[in-house]
Amino acid sequence: MILITLALGLTVAALLYLSMIWNFSYWRKRRVPGPKPKIFTGNYPNLYTMKRNMIYDLNDIYKEYKNKYDAVGIFSGRVPQLLVVSPELAHRVFLTNFKNFHDNELSKLTDEKSDFILSNNPFSLTGEKWKQRRADITPGLTNSRIKSVYPVTNKVCQQMTEWVKKQIRLGSREGLHAKDLTLRFTTEMVTDCVLGLSAESFSEKPTPIMAHINDLFSPNWSFVLLFALVNTFPSLGHLIKLRMVPHHVERFFVNLMGTAVKSRKSQQATGNFQRTDFLDYLLQLGEKRNLGTRHLLAHTMTFLLDGFETVAAVLSHMLLLLGRDEVVQQHLREEILPHIREGSIPYDKLNDLPYLDACLNESIRLFPPGFMTSKLCTESIELPNKDGPNFTVDKGTVIVIPHACHMMDEEYFPDPLTFKPERFMEPDAAKTFRERGIFMGFGDGPRICLGMRFAQCQIKAAIVELISQFNIKVNPKTRKDNLYDPSLFLANLNGGIWLDLEARQ
Ligand code: HEM
Ligand SMILES: *[C@@H]1O[C@H](CO)[C@@H](O)[C@H](O)[C@H]1NC(C)=O
Ligand SMILES: *[C@@H]1O[C@H](CO)[C@@H](O)[C@H](O)[C@H]1NC(C)=O
Ligand SMILES: *[C@@H]1O[C@H](CO)[C@@H](O)[C@H](O)[C@H]1NC(C)=O
Ligand SMILES: *[C@@H]1O[C@H](CO)[C@@H](O)[C@H](O)[C@H]1NC(C)=O
């Protein structure tokens, strides 16, 4: 009896072991070079321990292979992935060979039944559905619509100043938590411009909207666990689909959307309301396509899901970098102050301040919200590999592009860890960096970020407000290096950012 149990146990263990390493010959068979994978974690040693951000593990591989190859074969758990090391190949994936790498990996991990909101985001949509949705959303984010919500942006900026002044009066030795400040800002912006409601983010008692927006971005443990499981056993992906937006949050927003639509319609019925904001566009779209509240919500949530955390993260890191460098901060203030009219800068001028633009781009280079991209091969293709032989990427293969490795490479950005907005002051610098594939903070090609201009406008308006009203200093509690938080998919300074703001004059 004992013997049988033992033999059974050993067989099971051996089978498990074999199945875990079964695919480790995948890249060797295709003559793609790569580092040796380990059982369970593959080439991501910190996949489960989260001791170090995975981008640093990818960076070790990147540095070892970048001079000899364009791409290397790696494994996430036991799933083969192609790691793109040369920026030229990154550019091909995003642009030249777009049809072969049309979709994002996320599309495989979720579906309408398990997460209606996430699966309806343009980022997760595939093929023709993506094309249609992108065409639907694009006219909603034009320059003229962003300009028409600019007065709302400025109103929110002023509320932010009042709130900061109050925090200064209350005086905390720890300083101001930058992410808390910037999340209040983006929450208020998005709810006002997209839903036409106020979240009262800068008051003592914010409405429940603020808390629910925060819940959107705190996936619970079951999400994290499932994600790891599907990563190790991709065939489970057919059975388990991921849900990032919890049920109660989805219900809350469906109701809120209903309220927003009703209140806007009644305002319009009285005839004295005119605002060509995003809600206005979404309602027109809803009528044209005959969309119900739930579908209308899915469109609306695009603005919240994609724009809320990214903008807040970039803004808080930009404040950190300006706070650390008094010279840059003063230089920026001198560019800004002469153009302020009645508390803000006219919209057209805001987009015509080169140093402000350069500071923003340099902040995104050091802390990019998209530090890596996982694309899917949608049509197999033969690729060259520098010193190595040509190879074929099969349909369905995951392609990892580690943008942060290019952005941290001293070959492309001398003294890469230092904040130097001057890098972007050369004529056409950003365009050249993008065409070489070494800096695409907002992506590139047909899937380039839809909200880029809206994001830039919000961030610039907030910086103009804060820089003109306050001197920005960094509280000593904040780290002095640029080390990323080990557990996040967005590049965030480990340990958080605390600021000391002083009212000017
Ligand atoms: C600083 C803030 C932001 C950054 C750095 C950023 C960055 C990015 C990046 C890197 C991508 C992937 C692009 C690609 O694969 O080529 C993306 C996609 C996208 N972004 Fe943004 N984003 C920001 C803000 C926003 C905002 C405010 C919105 C909406 C209002 C938005 C909407 C989208 C959408 C809808 C996509 C998917 C596009 C598609 O797949 O067709 N983003 N963004
Ligand atoms: C090996 O990888 C391929 C491609 O991702 C996949 O189709 C196949 O099911 C994997 N085999 C095993 C045993 O995991
Ligand atoms: C966590 O998420 C799962 C799936 O998304 C959901 O079924 C579960 O109710 C959530 N648990 C909590 C405590 O929110
Ligand atoms: C900053 O980046 C944006 C988006 O890539 C680009 O349009 C702009 O020209 C850049 N500005 C500078 C000064 O580099
Ligand atoms: C490798 O691919 C490139 C183009 O992708 C092609 O020009 C070249 O002839 C191929 N080399 C071999 C040995 O097949």
Side-chain angles (χ1 to χ4, degrees), residues 290-477:
N290 209 1
L291 302 176
T293 310
R294 199 151 177 252
H295 276 96
L296 209 53
L297 176 76
H299 283 73
T300 311
M301 291 307 276
T302 300
F303 292 80
L304 272 76
L305 270 179
D306 302 28
F308 172 78
E309 188 79 11
T310 46
V311 171
V314 170
L315 186 52
S316 62
H317 291 97
M318 192 166 169
L319 290 169
L320 165 79
L321 295 165
L322 291 172
R324 281 180 183 165
D325 192 328
E326 242 168 85
V327 177
V328 172
Q329 186 179 149
Q330 192 50 32
H331 188 151
L332 179 58
R333 195 171 280 123
E334 277 156 21
E335 184 187 63
I336 286 171
L337 288 180
H339 302 291
I340 295 194
R341 307 270 175 276
E342 293 163 14
S344 63
I345 290 187
Y347 181 75
D348 295 319
K349 192 69 212 171
L350 187 74
N351 293 316
D352 186 25
L353 297 171
Y355 200 63
L356 177 59
D357 207 27
C359 287
L360 172 54
N361 286 356
E362 177 69 347
S363 302
I364 295 178
R365 184 187 69 81
L366 281 168
F367 292 99
F371 63 63
M372 60 187 268
T373 305
S374 300
K375 299 247 176 210
L376 221 45
C377 174
T378 42
E379 205 181 302
S380 70
I381 181 176
E382 183 182 316
L383 292 174
N385 202 6
K386 261 190 215 151
D387 289 2
N390 283 5
F391 67 100
T392 304
V393 189
D394 290 330
K395 187 174 167 182
T397 311
V398 176
I399 317 291
V400 173
I401 302 106
H403 303 287
C405 298
H406 300 138
M407 297 188 204
M408 289 190 291
D409 188 336
E410 61 193 350
E411 183 184 336
Y412 310 124
F413 299 99
D415 195 4
L417 297 180
T418 307
F419 179 59
K420 282 189 189 163
E422 284 67 30
R423 299 179 210 275
F424 287 91
M425 292 300 277
E426 305 287 321
D428 284 333
K431 186 162 165 268
T432 314
F433 290 152
R434 204 178 73 207
E435 282 166 0
R436 291 170 66 200
I438 55 180
F439 175 80
M440 8 180 175
F442 290 96
D444 199 2
R447 281 194 107 120
I448 194 169
C449 177
L450 263 169
M452 178 169 87
R453 271 188 293 196
F454 182 42
Q456 288 166 333
C457 171
Q458 289 177 71
I459 295 167
K460 288 179 180 179
I463 290 287
V464 164
E465 177 74 19
L466 292 171
I467 282 277
S468 59
Q469 298 279 351
F470 304 97
N471 291 323
I472 299 165
K473 298 207 168 107
V474 179
N475 189 284
K477 204 175 136 190

Side-chain angles (χ1 to χ4, degrees), residues 56-98:
Y56 298 119
D57 295 326
L58 291 178
N59 203 34
D60 291 344
I61 303 174
Y62 169 77
K63 281 198 281 203
E64 190 185 333
Y65 288 86
K66 70 164 205 172
N67 291 321
K68 291 179 71 178
Y69 301 101
D70 293 312
V72 299
I74 59 169
F75 296 84
S76 167
R78 54 175 210 159
V79 183
Q81 296 184 330
L82 188 74
L83 178 70
V84 169
V85 287
S86 86
E88 299 85 50
L89 183 55
H91 186 75
R92 277 182 76 161
V93 168
F94 276 78
L95 221 80
T96 330
N97 296 111
F98 176 72

Side-chain angles (χ1 to χ4, degrees), residues 114 219-223 226 241-248:
S114 57
N220 67 29
W221 276 108
S222 69
F223 178 84
L226 283 179
K241 294 288 178 192
L242 296 180
R243 180 174 190 87
M244 189 180 81
V245 181
H247 277 292
H248 75 277

Side-chain angles (χ1 to χ4, degrees), residues 17 21 27 47 111 122 155 169 214 285 398 442 492 497:
Y17 179 78
I21 62 162
W27 289 118
L47 187 62
D111 67 7
K155 184 186 77 186
R169 281 199 301 277
N214 277 322
L285 183 72
V398 176
F442 290 96
N492 255 328
I497 301 166

